[in-house]
Amino acid sequence: MPKIETLLKETIEFPLKEGEPAMVAVMREEEYRGIKAISQSFMKPLADGKSLHHCRTGLKITPSLKTSLNLGSGFDSICEDAFKQLANDEPVLVDGTDWTTMKTFQSRIAVRPDEFSGNLKKEVKERKAEWEFLNQRRVQITEKELKTIMEMLKSALTNKKWQEYLTGDWQICIFWWEDGLPMKGMLDHISYKNGKRIPIDLKTSADATLDGFTKKAFNLHYDLQVAHYHKGLSEVYGDENIGVFRFLVVENQPPYLSSYFFADDGMYTSGNIKREFAIRQIKEYLNGSETLPEFPKSEESFKLTPPPYIQSKLNEMEML
C-alpha cells in the first residue's frame, strides 16, 4: 500500500495518474469528499500546529458546529437555485417558492418535519426512522433552519455584489498533482470577468462585519484555502487567467448582514506560507522511514504561561 494511503481515509481512487494534466469536474460533494487526495481542509490542522493524525481524523463535529454546517449547506444550495434564476432573468420569490422542489436544494437537502421533534409515539418514531433512511445521503435540516436560510437568502438577494458575481458556474472540482502529491479542491462558484476566472466562496458567519470576518478568516485559515484553490485553478488554466479570490458572506442570525470581501496580497502570502509548511510536513513523513503510530504523542516539556490577552486582563484587575 502506498505510504500516502496511511494518511488518507478516503476510498475512491484519484482520477489522475501522476504526470497527467490537471482537470476540472462536476460531481456530488460526497463523491468529491471520498476521493483520495490532499485538500485544504486536510492541511488546516498542520497550520494549527497539530499532528498528521488530526489531518486524518478531520474536524470534530460538535452539535453547534453541525448546526452551523447544516445552515451553510442549505444556504449554498438555495443560493445556487435562486441566483441561477436571477441569471436567467427570472424573478425570485423567496417566501412564494417551495424550495424543497427546486433542483439543487432538493438533491442535496432534506427538511425534517417538525413532528419528528420531542417525545415521539411509536408510530411517529417509525415514520422518522423511515424518513432518515430515505434521506441519509442528503444534509438534514429542520424547518426552523430552513426559515433562517430563507432570511439569509433574502439579505443576499438585495446585495448588488452578490448579484454581480454569482453569474457563473457552481461547485467546480479541481484535481492535480503537485510535488508527487495528489491534490483536490471544490469551489463554490467561478465567475468570469475580463477574460479571467474569479474564484468565489460563500460563507455563513455569526459576524459578517470587516473586523468579525477578518478574525474568523485567519483563525480558520481561509488564507490557506485561497492559496490552495488558486494553485489548483492555475494548474488548469494558467496563473495569468485567474482573478482575485472573493468571499461572499452572510450572517446566520439577525440582522443577516451580507458582505463582500476580496483577498489582498497579504492574504495570498499568508496562505502560501501555511500551505508550503503543511506540504513540507506531509513530504517529510512520506520520505521518512517511520510509519504513522497508532496514537499521536508529545514528550517535550511545555511551559504554561498566561497568553497576552489573559495578561492584559490581569493588568486591568490590578488597576481596579
Side-chain angles (χ1 to χ4, degrees), residues 5-274:
E5 295 196 8
T6 64
L7 294 179
L8 303 174
K9 60 183 179 181
E10 294 86 355
T11 58
I12 301 174
E13 293 300 322
F14 193 64
L16 298 172
K17 294 180 180 179
E18 189 168 2
E20 289 184 335
M23 63 173 283
V24 296
V26 177
M27 62 183 64
R28 290 180 62 90
E29 186 171 352
E30 63 184 53
E31 181 181 356
Y32 162 80
R33 293 191 181 281
I35 292 175
K36 298 177 185 176
I38 308 278
S39 65
Q40 52 92 15
S41 298
F42 181 90
M43 297 184 196
K44 282 183 178 182
L46 296 175
D48 279 326
K50 296 180 179 179
S51 70
L52 287 167
H53 292 79
H54 294 95
C55 298
R56 179 175 169 80
T57 55
L59 197 62
K60 182 178 180 181
I61 306 298
T62 62
S64 60
L65 178 57
K66 184 175 182 180
T67 297
S68 179
L69 293 173
N70 287 350
L71 285 173
S73 296
F75 180 72
D76 287 356
S77 300
I78 207 171
C79 261
E80 182 170 340
D81 283 323
F83 281 93
K84 279 182 176 178
Q85 284 185 246
L86 277 187
N88 291 327
D89 294 324
E90 299 174 17
V92 178
L93 305 174
V94 178
D95 291 327
T97 300
D98 180 0
W99 295 100
T100 62
T101 67
M102 299 299 286
K103 182 178 179 181
T104 304
F105 192 88
Q106 187 274 337
S107 68
R108 300 178 193 161
I109 310 296
V111 182
R112 185 185 302 110
D114 284 340
E115 67 166 329
F116 295 159
S117 301
N119 295 323
L120 307 180
K121 294 181 179 180
K122 181 180 178 181
E123 60 271 19
V124 180
K125 287 182 179 179
E126 291 174 351
R127 288 202 302 274
K128 179 182 178 182
E130 180 183 14
W131 182 89
E132 289 178 341
F133 175 78
L134 293 173
N135 292 286
Q136 60 184 311
R137 296 186 64 186
R138 296 192 287 177
V139 175
Q140 299 177 12
I141 66 173
T142 65
E143 293 186 2
K144 181 179 179 180
E145 288 168 343
L146 175 58
K147 290 177 182 177
T148 297
I149 289 166
M150 290 169 64
E151 292 302 304
M152 294 159 64
L153 176 61
K154 290 176 185 177
S155 174
L157 287 168
T158 67
N159 193 310
K160 291 182 179 179
K161 286 293 187 182
W162 287 58
Q163 296 177 29
E164 177 183 352
Y165 281 98
L166 293 182
T167 55
D169 295 324
W170 293 83
Q171 284 212 330
I172 301 298
C173 300
I174 326 166
F175 302 97
W176 72 100
W177 281 91
E178 182 179 346
D179 200 16
L181 299 175
M183 299 285 186
K184 67 179 180 179
M186 176 179 256
L187 292 97
D188 285 343
H189 194 83
I190 296 180
S191 188
Y192 302 90
K193 286 185 176 293
N194 302 318
K196 291 183 180 289
R197 287 171 166 81
I198 312 293
I200 310 285
D201 199 55
L202 305 182
K203 295 292 187 187
T204 60
S205 178
D207 188 345
T209 64
L210 176 58
D211 286 346
F213 188 69
T214 297
K215 291 176 183 176
K216 180 175 183 177
F218 287 94
N219 285 340
L220 297 184
H221 307 299
Y222 293 167
D223 49 347
L224 191 157
Q225 175 186 5
V226 166
H228 189 69
Y229 288 175
H230 183 88
K231 175 63 175 176
L233 288 171
S234 298
E235 288 291 316
V236 179
Y237 301 110
D239 184 73
E240 70 280 3
N241 296 313
I242 310 305
V244 174
F245 201 103
R246 266 77 166 178
F247 290 97
L248 300 178
V249 187
V250 66
E251 291 178 345
N252 53 22
Q253 59 188 17
Y256 304 109
L257 169 69
S258 61
S259 302
Y260 159 85
F261 301 88
F262 64 91
D264 73 355
D265 290 344
M267 190 172 198
Y268 278 92
T269 299
S270 173
N272 281 320
I273 289 172
K274 292 177 180 180

